[in-house]
Amino acid sequence: MYLKPIATAIVALSLLGCMSTPTIDQDYRDKVESPAQWQSQTEIKPVQDNWLAQLDDEQVLSLVNLALSNNYQLRQQKQDIEIAKQQLIVAGSNLWPSLDLSLDSSRRKNGTTEVIANSHGLTANIRYELDLWGKLSDNERQANLDLLAKKASYEQAKQNLVAQVVTTWFAVIEANKQLSLRNERLVIAGQNLEIIEAGYRQGLNNALDVYLTRNEHNSEKARVAQQQTTQIQQIRKLERLVGEYPAGLLSVTADLPLLTTSIPLGLPSELISRKPSLVASWYQLLASDAGLAYAHKQRFPSLSLSGSLGTSSDDLGDLLSANTLGWSLISSLSAPIFNAGRLSANEEKAKLQLAKQELVYLDTLQQAFEVVENSVTAEVSLQSRYNNTLTAAENAKLAETLSFEQYQKGLISYTTVLDAQKRSFDAQSSLITIKNQLIANRINLHLALGGDFAPSQSRDSIND
C-alpha cells in the first residue's frame, strides 16, 4: 500500500529534475554593447571625483552637508534600505530550523461521573526544510539583490540631491543678478523720465515721449516686483532642499563663475559600473532572475524534518518531570500535483518580469549614454552662445548710450531710444542666464558621468 505514494514521488522528482531555469549570464553586463568613446571625445581621461570641491565655496558645501542630513526624501530612501535589510533577514531565516515552544492547559468535567480532570502539556517543536534544490537560497539571493539595488538607488539619490542643491544655489545667484540688473534698469528709467518731463516743460519734447517714458518706468517697477518673487521662490526651494522651513530668508552673495575648461569623460563602458542608477538597475535585473529561479523551484518537491519534545501531566507541578517526557521525529516529502495552474502562472509571470527588467536595464543604459552626449553637445552650444551674446551686449550698450545722445540732439525719436535700451538689457540678462545654464549643464554632466561629489564617496559603499 506504500508503493503508490513512493512511485508518485519518484516520478515527480524525475520530471521536475529535468526542468531547467533560464538565468541571466553573470557576464551579461560586460557583453552589453557600448561605444568605444564619446562622439565629441578627442582624448580619453578618467572621470574626476570630488567635483563639488572645485566650487571652493564654504556656503554651498555647508548647504550640501545640511541637505544630506536633513532632506526628507533622502531620509525616506534610507528607510527603504533598512526595510530591505529586514526582508533579507526574513528570507535568510527560512534556511534555518524553526523552534516553537507551546504550553497547553485544559480543565474538563465528566458529565456522568462529575469528575473534573486537569491536563497540562509543554511541547517544543522543531521544523527544518532541507534546501534540496536551492529554492530557499534563491529567495535569500533575491532579497540580498533587492537590498543592493536599494543601496545603489540611495547613492544615486544622494548625488541627485547634491546636484539639486548646487543647481538651486546657483539659480538663487542668477535671480540676485537679474534683480540687480532690473533695479539698475529701473534707475535708468527714472532718470530718463526726469529728463523727458523737464524737456517737455521747456517745450523741447512732445507729450508722446512723456507717456512712453512713464509707461517704461511703471513697467520696470512691475518687472522688479516679478523678479523679487522669482528670487524668493528660488531661495525657498533651496531652504526646502536642505530640510529647513521655506522662509525665504537665506542670503546668498556669491557670484556666477564662467566655466571655460572641459571635464574628462572617461570611457562609455565605465559608465555601466560607475553610475549608481545603472548599478541599481543591474541588481534589479539579477533580483528578477533570482525571483524566476525561486518561482521555478516552487514546483519541485520539498523535504521537511520535524521533531517534538514534550511532556504532559494532570498536575502542573509535575510538568517538567523527566518521567513524563516524550519525543517524536517526522520526515515529510511533498510535491505539488494539482494547483489549477497557480505555480505555472507564477513562473510565467516571473519570466515576463525578468524580460521586462532586462528591457528596463537596457533602456536605462541607453538613456544614460544619451544624457552624457546631450550634455557635451549643450556645453559646446552654450559656450558659443555666451561668446556671441557677450559681443552683442557690448554693442548694445554702446548703441544705448549713442541713441540717447542722438535723441537729445533731435536726430531720432524716443521709440528708438527705448528699443536700444531694451536690446541692451536683454543682452545683459541673457549673459547672466547663459552663464548659469553653463553651470547647470556642467553639474548635470558630472551627475550623468556618475562623478562622486566628495572623496568619501566610494563605489564599494554600494556593496556594504
Side-chain angles (χ1 to χ4, degrees), residues 39-81:
Q39 285 190 343
S40 59
Q41 186 170 254
T42 57
E43 185 179 2
I44 299 175
K45 293 182 179 180
V47 177
Q48 294 179 349
D49 288 333
N50 195 20
W51 59 267
L52 186 60
Q54 300 173 20
L55 297 179
D56 194 26
D57 188 283
E58 290 297 328
Q59 184 184 37
V60 71
L61 295 178
S62 176
L63 290 172
V64 165
N65 290 328
L66 196 61
L68 291 174
S69 300
N70 297 341
N71 185 267
Y72 290 111
Q73 293 185 354
L74 188 64
R75 290 165 65 183
Q76 289 176 43
Q77 291 200 257
K78 185 67 173 179
Q79 293 301 316
D80 288 339
I81 294 178

Side-chain angles (χ1 to χ4, degrees), residues 84-96 135-144:
K85 286 181 179 179
Q86 299 307 312
Q87 183 58 42
L88 177 58
I89 295 174
V90 172
S93 67
N94 294 326
L95 291 164
W96 293 82
K135 174 183 68 175
L136 302 179
S137 299
D138 286 331
N139 189 33
E140 183 188 34
R141 183 165 68 94
Q142 182 180 16
N144 185 54

Side-chain angles (χ1 to χ4, degrees), residues 193-206 210 407:
L193 180 59
E194 292 178 2
I195 294 173
I196 297 300
E197 286 183 338
Y200 176 72
R201 287 192 293 270
Q202 297 173 10
L204 301 176
N205 301 321
N206 57 44
V210 175
Y407 169 75

Side-chain angles (χ1 to χ4, degrees), residues 16-28:
L16 290 172
C18 293
M19 300 175 68
S20 60
T21 308
T23 57
I24 291 292
D25 186 348
Q26 293 299 314
D27 297 327
Y28 173 84

Side-chain angles (χ1 to χ4, degrees), residues 10 61 83 96 106 120 141 221 223 240 352:
I10 292 174
L61 295 178
I83 294 172
W96 293 82
S106 64
H120 306 282
R141 183 165 68 94
K221 286 183 178 180
R223 295 186 189 108
R240 181 80 170 81
L352 294 172

Side-chain angles (χ1 to χ4, degrees), residues 185-411:
R185 185 76 182 88
L186 178 60
V187 170
I188 292 174
Q191 292 173 348
N192 289 347
L193 180 59
E194 292 178 2
I195 294 173
I196 297 300
E197 286 183 338
Y200 176 72
R201 287 192 293 270
Q202 297 173 10
L204 301 176
N205 301 321
N206 57 44
L208 177 60
D209 292 344
V210 175
Y211 293 140
L212 288 174
T213 312
R214 288 176 179 175
N215 173 73
E216 184 65 18
H217 186 248
N218 289 326
S219 296
E220 282 303 325
K221 286 183 178 180
R223 295 186 189 108
V224 167
Q226 182 181 7
Q227 186 58 37
Q228 288 173 336
T229 301
T230 300
Q231 179 199 40
I232 199 169
Q233 286 176 344
Q234 291 294 348
I235 292 174
R236 285 175 175 154
K237 180 180 178 181
L238 182 57
E239 291 170 337
R240 181 80 170 81
L241 284 172
V242 300
E244 294 186 345
Y245 183 81
L249 301 176
L250 182 66
S251 175
V252 179
T253 58
D255 201 355
L256 288 174
L258 178 60
L259 303 179
T260 56
T261 60
S262 60
I263 67 172
L265 303 178
L267 291 171
S269 57
E270 295 173 350
L271 194 67
I272 297 175
S273 57
R274 278 192 61 90
K275 192 171 175 61
S277 62
L278 291 178
V279 175
S281 184
W282 170 245
Y283 281 137
Q284 289 165 355
L285 178 59
L286 293 181
S288 296
D289 182 61
L292 173 57
Y294 176 75
H296 176 66
K297 293 172 184 178
Q298 286 281 73
R299 305 173 68 179
F300 284 47
S302 60
L303 177 61
S304 300
L305 301 176
S306 60
S308 64
L309 178 66
T311 177
S312 61
S313 173
D314 294 339
D315 189 352
L316 187 61
D318 296 334
L319 197 60
L320 299 179
S321 173
N323 296 328
T324 61
L325 285 176
W327 61 271
S328 66
L329 181 63
I330 302 173
S331 64
S332 64
L333 179 66
S334 62
I337 302 301
F338 176 75
N339 47 63
R342 175 174 57 85
L343 296 180
S344 177
N346 281 337
E347 182 178 358
E348 185 61 28
K349 184 173 70 173
K351 287 181 181 178
L352 294 172
Q353 181 62 38
L354 176 60
K356 174 187 174 182
Q357 195 59 49
E358 182 179 5
L359 295 175
V360 169
Y361 174 71
L362 293 174
D363 182 63
T364 304
L365 184 60
Q366 290 296 324
Q367 185 181 23
F369 289 149
E370 178 188 12
V371 172
V372 175
E373 296 284 12
N374 284 342
S375 296
V376 175
T377 302
E379 179 151 335
V380 174
S381 174
L382 287 168
Q383 289 284 4
S384 176
R385 285 176 55 195
Y386 180 83
N387 293 332
N388 290 327
T389 305
L390 179 61
T391 303
E394 293 171 351
N395 291 327
K397 188 66 177 176
L398 294 173
E400 177 186 8
T401 303
L402 182 61
S403 65
F404 197 77
E405 292 175 353
Q406 291 184 346
Y407 169 75
Q408 289 181 311
K409 294 177 181 179
L411 300 177

